């Protein structure tokens, strides 16, 4: 998971970062922002990068509540945990569907319990895809992945926010991490998320982002069977053979 820590108290940020590191070790990364404006500028460029936000309510500039409202405009699924020295702020804060709140000074045991609950809740709601880029762990919600492409020894991950991430690996390794009721191999070089198929033709798939991906002759039969099963699961029984609009 990726966690954003937003607080203008640097000592408190250090405490939070240390707790995150002790609790999750290498399975979670955290970034510190000293103002709501700094955080919002970052997520405008990297939408849905963070799965959990720890927001101080009483910050200079854009406060934590207003920051959370703007986060909600970009991401309905992220978990927001408010940090405050005054409990009376909490009721207003929950207007943005906050997951929990933390009261200063930090109680490490209680905070760790809240973080573990957040991780458990998030993992239950949305599965995550992990990969390593330049020795740094990256995390993406699987629902944001449109397709993966193998190029040499690298995998390129194309997402719904029009970004492309590259890492060293194989599609076989990726398949083992993904839900094959949603993802299908259509070619030795392509693994796609069937949620984002727009048009299915005889030899190509046109994705909703208008990218055209080839279907190999060897994998066509198994892909069509997998796609039929996917449509049944989604309650669509109109697909008959493999051509035409699939949306």
């Amino acid at each position: 998971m990726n966690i954003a820590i937003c607080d203008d108290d640097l000592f408190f940020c250090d405490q939070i970062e240390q707790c995150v590191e002790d609790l999750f070790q290498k399975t979670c990364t955290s970034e510190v922002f000293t103002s709501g404006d700094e955080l919002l500028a970052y997520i405008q460029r990297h939408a849905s990068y963070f799965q959990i936000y720890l927001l101080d309510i009483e910050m200079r500039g854009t406060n934590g509540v207003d920051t959370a409202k703007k986060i909600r405009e970009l991401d309905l699924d992220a978990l927001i945990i408010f940090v405050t020295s005054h409990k009376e702020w909490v009721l207003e804060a929950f207007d943005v569907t906050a997951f929990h709140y933390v009261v200063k000074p930090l109680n490490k045991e209680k905070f760790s319990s809240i973080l573990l609950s957040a991780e458990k809740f998030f993992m239950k709601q949305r599965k995550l895809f992990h990969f390593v880029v330049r020795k740094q762990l990256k995390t993406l919600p699987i629902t944001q992945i449109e397709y993966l492409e193998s190029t040499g020894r690298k995998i390129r991950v194309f997402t719904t926010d029009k970004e492309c991430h590259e890492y060293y690996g194989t599609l076989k390794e990726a398949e083992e991490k993904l839900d094959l009721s949603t993802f299908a191999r259509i070619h030795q070089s392509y693994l796609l998320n069937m949620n984002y198929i727009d048009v299915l033709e005889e030899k190509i798939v046109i994705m909703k982002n208008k990218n055209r991906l080839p279907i190999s002759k060897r994998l066509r039969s198994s892909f069509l069977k997998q796609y039929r099963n996917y449509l049944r699961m989604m309650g669509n029984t109109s697909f008959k053979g493999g051509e035409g609009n699939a949306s």
Side-chain angles (χ1 to χ4, degrees):
M1 291 188 306
N2 297 325
I3 298 177
I5 302 166
C6 188
D7 197 307
D8 52 14
D9 181 342
L10 289 178
F11 176 74
F12 188 78
C13 288
D14 287 342
Q15 285 185 298
I16 294 286
E17 270 202 302
Q18 189 61 56
C19 281
V20 169
E21 185 177 331
D22 292 343
L23 196 60
F24 297 112
Q25 297 182 1
K26 295 182 179 181
T27 63
C28 184
T29 60
S30 60
E31 298 276 350
V32 171
F33 302 87
T34 56
S35 73
D37 297 309
E38 182 187 1
L39 172 59
L40 290 171
Y42 183 91
I43 63 175
Q44 286 288 346
R45 301 190 305 271
H46 308 280
S48 304
Y49 177 77
F50 297 107
Q51 288 78 51
I52 296 177
Y53 291 86
L54 291 158
L55 303 178
D56 181 22
I57 292 179
E58 304 151 85
M59 291 186 290
R60 293 184 296 274
T62 305
N63 66 32
V65 176
D66 290 336
T67 299
K69 288 176 181 177
K70 292 179 181 178
I71 289 170
R72 276 286 172 256
E73 292 174 6
L74 298 170
D75 191 341
L76 294 174
D77 299 314
L79 302 185
I80 294 173
I81 299 172
F82 283 110
V83 177
T84 182
S85 300
H86 305 286
K87 285 187 178 180
E88 59 266 26
W89 281 81
V90 170
L91 286 178
E92 181 182 349
F94 274 81
D95 287 344
V96 293
T97 321
F99 179 77
H100 219 297
Y101 68 94
V102 176
V103 178
K104 296 181 180 180
L106 185 68
N107 179 317
K108 290 185 178 180
E109 184 176 344
K110 186 170 184 178
F111 176 63
S112 296
S113 176
I114 290 170
L115 270 188
L116 287 171
S117 295
E119 180 200 34
K120 184 177 180 180
F121 180 86
F122 194 88
M123 293 298 285
K124 184 177 180 181
Q125 295 299 311
R126 297 175 71 190
K127 294 182 180 179
L128 301 176
F129 184 70
H130 304 284
F131 53 96
V132 177
V133 180
R134 299 186 188 91
K135 298 183 179 179
Q136 182 179 4
L137 181 71
K138 297 287 186 182
T139 304
L140 290 173
I142 285 175
T143 54
Q144 289 181 10
I145 299 174
E146 291 193 349
Y147 66 93
L148 298 91
E149 178 185 16
S150 174
T151 57
R153 296 191 299 117
K154 284 186 176 182
I155 299 296
R156 302 172 73 192
V157 184
F158 294 85
T159 63
T160 54
D161 54 9
K162 299 182 180 179
E163 290 193 5
C164 176
H165 306 269
E166 286 191 350
Y167 71 96
Y168 286 99
T170 67
L171 280 186
K172 181 175 174 56
E173 292 168 345
E175 277 183 304
E176 293 171 356
K177 299 177 184 179
L178 295 168
D179 182 358
L180 294 184
S181 67
T182 304
F183 283 81
R185 188 77 166 263
I186 62 168
H187 188 280
Q188 66 177 2
S189 299
Y190 293 99
L191 177 65
L192 60 76
N193 186 337
M194 291 182 282
N195 285 315
Y196 298 110
I197 293 176
D198 187 26
V199 178
L200 178 59
E201 298 185 354
E202 184 179 357
K203 295 182 179 180
I204 65 167
V205 172
I206 302 174
M207 304 297 286
K208 290 184 178 178
N209 63 8
K210 303 308 176 187
N211 285 344
R212 302 165 71 90
L213 308 181
I215 305 171
S216 74
K217 185 176 180 180
R218 180 175 65 86
L219 293 174
R220 177 177 167 78
S221 177
S222 60
F223 164 59
L224 292 180
K225 180 179 179 181
Q226 196 172 353
Y227 189 52
R228 288 190 194 95
N229 290 336
Y230 162 79
L231 291 176
R232 289 192 195 100
M233 180 180 72
M234 299 301 292
N236 184 342
T237 59
S238 61
F239 177 67
K240 300 297 181 183
E243 297 185 23
N245 196 308
S247 57

